[in-house]
Amino acid sequence: MVIALTPVDLVTAVALMLTSAGLSLFLSLGFHKGMVWASIRMVVQLLLVGSLLRLVFRQDSAALTVLIFLAMLTAAAHEVGARQPRRLQGGWRHLINGAAVSMSTIFVSAFALVTVLGADNWLEPAHAIPIGGIILGTAMNSASIALNALLSNIGNERDAIEAQLALGGSRFSALSPLMRRAVNAGIIPVMNQMVGAGIITMPGIMSGQILAGQDPLNAATYQVFLMLLLAASGTASAIFAVYFTVFRLSDERHRLRLDRLEDERRPKG
Amino acid sequence: MTKPSLKGSFPPTSTVDAMEFELAAHSCLVLTGPSGVGKTTLLRKIADLDPHDGVISLGPIKQGDLPAPEWRRRVMYVASNSGWWAGRVRDHFSVDDNTLVLIDAFAVGRDKLDASPSHLSTGERQRMALVRALSLQPDFLLLDEPTSALDHETALKVKAVLADRKRSGCGLLVVTHDSAQAERLSDGMLRMRAR
């Protein structure tokens, strides 16, 4: 049985949120404005997305699906770069982040859609957009966390890296400990998601499907399939992002090129 | 067969005059110049750690002709801040009779081999970094303030080892503020002039 929510149900939920905000006001905790604003944003965003998707699903056009997908990829590539402690100069950041999330997402999404939906109608928006979106979200998270680990440590470890280069090490041997740590940091979220699945958290897709009336075991199977794909996309995107960035932060003469980061101060001699 | 010498020439930049040098095997040049003129940067360029538009060669071989790691094994830069990447000091070079002799000659305790580099004093790290570089037997050593963190007596011990290396064929290019050290080791001065 699927329970469709009525406006009355939603108003009840709003009342609950207002109670929390009221508590903040009453106890001078100071977050009531922020909470009300966040709730309004959330409502507007989700209703907009819901209406947009309804429109897109009615059109059922592969071209439109691809267009929406490209917009999502662009936004994700931007978000990966937006939260880094230091950034690559020029267009490289966008190029590398875009390539990392796109390559992993497109490959894994195509795999998912072709297996689940069959080759004929794999761009059917009702499946393609949510599945692509989940995969993209994971790719974005992993690339972002991996690059954060790489870029916040590479400056501190400059002496150690250059000592290895000066002793005749190649750029990849000198940077490999850092790269390993960065990629590992990037896949922590997908690892946590997998080990915690069902014990600590009920995964979103599974809960959603159960709420929408699916048999729990079917829902679990669906979740298993998706989680394995998410692990693949998170891993691929963390690896791509870290390797591409390290390529750009070193050169063919095996030099460390931190001058290609923004805000880098050169050492004085 | 005579050992090749290390030659370099650099065009003038907005802050430094043009300069040229030739460093023969068995010899030592001391690099001097006002602070901030780019002595460290010059050593880094000679080791190919910084991009540059100078011409550097080792005998007939131009810097760009050799893969960079191979160039750096022959023309080795030792930074003033030594960098360490592994858990224990001994993980950074092969500990054999030769390196143990060096460690004793530098008056660092052998027990420091099993310590984490971060637990060594700056002076101990500086000497261990020299051991690490010397253990690879480069043709030329580019030393940036090799004794800056050492007391007079220890610095003398390091100089004795460097003089020994020089006799056995290693060429040295040294940045130092210790004029006594310069006097004892050097066969010439290489001056960098600000424009």
Side-chain angles (χ1 to χ4, degrees):
Chain A
M1 179 188 68
V2 180
I3 304 172
L5 293 174
T6 62
V8 180
D9 299 330
L10 288 177
V11 168
T12 322
V14 168
L16 207 55
M17 185 275 292
L18 287 177
T19 314
S20 311
L23 265 178
S24 155
L25 201 59
F26 181 64
L27 298 173
S28 315
L29 298 176
F31 64 76
H32 44 278
K33 273 189 193 154
M35 184 160 216
V36 170
W37 174 238
S39 307
I40 293 171
R41 265 193 69 165
M42 181 270 293
V43 170
V44 173
Q45 283 168 204
L46 287 183
L47 289 183
L48 273 178
V49 168
S51 334
L52 180 72
L53 287 183
R54 180 181 269 184
L55 203 73
V56 172
F57 291 2
R58 283 215 188 108
Q59 298 287 319
D60 197 9
S61 131
L64 193 57
T65 310
V66 170
L67 199 68
I68 290 192
F69 215 73
L70 285 178
M72 288 161 66
L73 280 176
T74 313
H78 174 79
E79 289 302 324
V80 169
R83 260 171 287 283
Q84 301 309 331
R86 299 176 71 186
R87 300 162 165 188
L88 281 175
Q89 278 172 355
W92 284 94
R93 169 166 43 111
H94 305 293
L95 195 70
I96 288 174
N97 298 342
V101 292
S102 309
M103 285 165 71
S104 53
T105 304
I106 291 173
F107 179 74
V108 175
S109 306
F111 177 85
L113 296 171
V114 172
T115 26
V116 177
L117 298 182
D120 294 340
N121 56 346
W122 64 282
L123 275 174
E124 187 211 337
H127 289 88
I129 290 176
I131 288 183
I134 299 166
I135 292 170
L136 179 59
T138 304
M140 178 183 85
N141 252 335
S142 294
S144 173
I145 294 170
L147 285 182
N148 192 49
L150 180 74
L151 295 173
S152 51
N153 289 324
I154 201 165
N156 298 335
E157 300 200 7
R158 178 187 180 140
D159 285 343
I161 295 165
E162 291 205 317
Q164 293 173 79
L165 295 175
L167 293 162
S170 75
R171 54 170 153 169
F172 295 110
S173 75
L175 283 158
S176 68
L178 192 57
M179 292 165 77
R180 201 178 313 125
R181 265 181 290 149
V183 172
N184 271 298
I187 62 172
I188 283 176
V190 289
M191 295 286 226
N192 283 347
Q193 220 178 9
M194 287 199 285
V195 297
I199 303 172
I200 298 155
T201 56
M202 187 57 77
I205 302 275
M206 188 168 161
S207 317
Q209 284 204 312
I210 293 175
L211 285 174
Q214 262 277 11
D215 166 57
L217 194 56
N218 277 344
T221 319
Y222 213 89
Q223 185 73 55
V224 165
F225 177 74
L226 270 174
M227 277 215 172
L228 294 175
L229 297 182
L230 293 185
S233 99
T235 310
S237 128
I239 291 177
F240 284 143
V242 166
Y243 273 74
F244 290 155
T245 304
V246 160
F247 253 101
R248 183 61 194 158
L249 286 177
S250 56
D251 64 20
E252 71 294 342
R253 295 297 296 170
H254 300 266
R255 304 178 186 115
L256 186 63
R257 296 300 298 273
L258 294 187
D259 55 317
R260 290 175 178 166
L261 287 172
E262 286 174 2
D263 312 316
E264 166 64 359
R265 281 166 304 197
R266 304 291 303 151
K268 46 187 172 39
Chain B
M1 202 181 92
T2 56
K3 292 196 168 193
S5 60
L6 183 68
K7 286 182 206 167
S9 72
F10 293 88
T13 68
S14 54
T15 52
V16 192
D17 261 351
M19 64 175 302
E20 252 185 37
F21 71 89
E22 175 167 3
L23 175 61
H26 298 283
S27 72
C28 172
L29 284 180
V30 170
L31 180 60
T32 61
S35 58
V37 77
K39 297 187 288 288
T40 295
T41 308
L42 184 77
L43 293 190
R44 291 172 54 90
K45 287 174 178 174
I46 297 171
D48 207 3
L49 283 165
D50 276 342
H52 61 87
D53 44 13
V55 179
I56 303 171
S57 56
L58 185 59
I61 309 165
K62 290 228 162 54
Q63 190 178 59
D65 296 343
L66 281 183
E70 198 186 326
W71 175 270
R72 292 186 197 123
R73 274 194 289 274
R74 300 183 64 177
V75 180
M76 192 168 288
Y77 168 66
V78 182
S80 53
N81 293 326
S82 59
W84 303 87
W85 57 90
R88 295 173 307 170
V89 171
R90 65 162 66 241
D91 303 328
H92 293 82
F93 50 86
S94 68
V95 177
D96 53 25
D97 290 348
N98 293 329
T99 44
L100 287 175
V101 167
L102 284 172
I103 289 169
D104 295 345
F106 285 166
V108 195
R110 287 189 183 190
D111 56 314
K112 303 291 182 191
L113 281 170
D114 290 306
S116 155
S118 60
H119 290 156
L120 270 60
S121 71
T122 312
E124 286 167 338
R125 271 199 298 276
Q126 196 168 33
R127 280 170 284 168
M128 283 298 194
L130 262 179
V131 171
R132 183 171 72 183
L134 289 169
S135 75
L136 295 170
Q137 309 204 316
D139 298 338
F140 291 91
L141 271 172
L142 314 171
L143 305 174
D144 196 355
E145 301 281 2
T147 55
S148 58
L150 307 181
D151 59 56
H152 179 69
E153 203 172 316
T154 317
L156 282 178
K157 291 180 173 144
V158 170
K159 281 176 236 171
V161 171
L162 291 177
D164 198 44
R165 280 299 168 121
K166 196 180 89 171
R167 270 192 298 279
S168 56
C170 187
L172 305 170
L173 181 57
V174 187
V175 173
T176 179
H177 287 117
D178 174 358
S179 54
Q181 169 171 342
E183 222 165 88
R184 192 180 159 118
L185 265 178
S186 93
D187 303 298
M189 290 284 198
L190 179 62
R191 217 174 297 276
M192 289 182 85
R193 287 190 184 84
R195 270 157 74 97

